[in-house]
Amino acid sequence: MTAWAQSLIRISNYEVETLQKRLAEITARRASAEMRIAVLEAEAEIEQARARDNAEAALLLQAYLNGWKVRRSAALADVVEIEAEEEGARDALTGAFEELKKFEHVAETTRLNRLIAAGKRETAAFDELGLRRRAG
């Protein structure tokens, strides 16, 4: 494999690895945001159960639920934003993989063409040697 092909493949591998790390970070952020939503929903259920058993908590429940709705909406918006970022990162990673495969294909084709050319030169040299022996 030529030095230029090795360099292109090495650079492409680095880009793929970088994008994989970025995607993993984004996926972890999405999981964290989804966990925040689950925690908020669990907290709301706890507060509603408390309000059923406690008259004072029942009076405060509506104010709590109003604040809860705002926090939940913000968390849902974060998830939507992170999902869009994740989709973009997946697309970028797919593109980087495609580029890497193209470079690997070109490098392999170049290597095979060199082997074929070397084989043709060797065959031509043997043919010439055979013709010389027959003529001489």
Side-chain angles (χ1 to χ4, degrees):
M1 191 179 314
T2 62
W4 64 267
Q6 288 176 341
S7 293
L8 287 175
I9 290 171
R10 191 170 37 254
I11 289 168
S12 291
N13 272 322
Y14 176 77
E15 183 176 359
V16 166
E17 290 170 8
T18 300
L19 289 170
Q20 286 173 327
K21 289 175 187 174
R22 178 175 169 236
L23 181 59
E25 185 270 333
I26 293 168
T27 302
R29 283 191 1 243
R30 181 176 49 88
S32 176
E34 289 172 345
M35 183 59 71
R36 274 196 326 265
I37 293 169
V39 167
L40 283 171
E41 289 174 355
E43 288 174 350
E45 288 178 20
I46 291 169
E47 289 299 323
Q48 288 171 343
R50 187 179 319 182
R52 282 191 294 273
D53 298 336
N54 182 326
E56 188 177 321
L59 293 173
L60 300 173
L61 180 62
Q62 192 57 47
Y64 171 81
L65 289 177
N66 289 339
W68 176 84
K69 287 177 185 174
V70 170
R71 290 191 309 275
R72 185 172 183 274
S73 292
L76 287 171
D78 286 348
V79 169
V80 168
E81 183 180 314
I82 292 169
E83 285 174 343
E85 185 179 357
E86 185 177 25
E87 184 178 335
R90 285 187 194 285
D91 290 345
L93 181 57
T94 299
F97 268 125
E98 289 171 357
E99 287 298 313
L100 174 59
K101 294 304 169 195
K102 285 179 190 175
F103 291 142
E104 289 174 342
H105 177 73
V106 167
E108 181 64 12
T109 301
T110 302
R111 185 185 73 79
L112 292 174
N113 286 341
R114 286 185 177 174
L115 286 174
I116 290 168
K120 286 181 180 179
R121 284 190 302 272
E122 185 178 342
T123 301
F126 283 133
D127 288 348
E128 184 178 335
L129 182 63
L131 288 175
R132 285 184 185 171
R133 285 187 179 170
R134 206 178 313 165

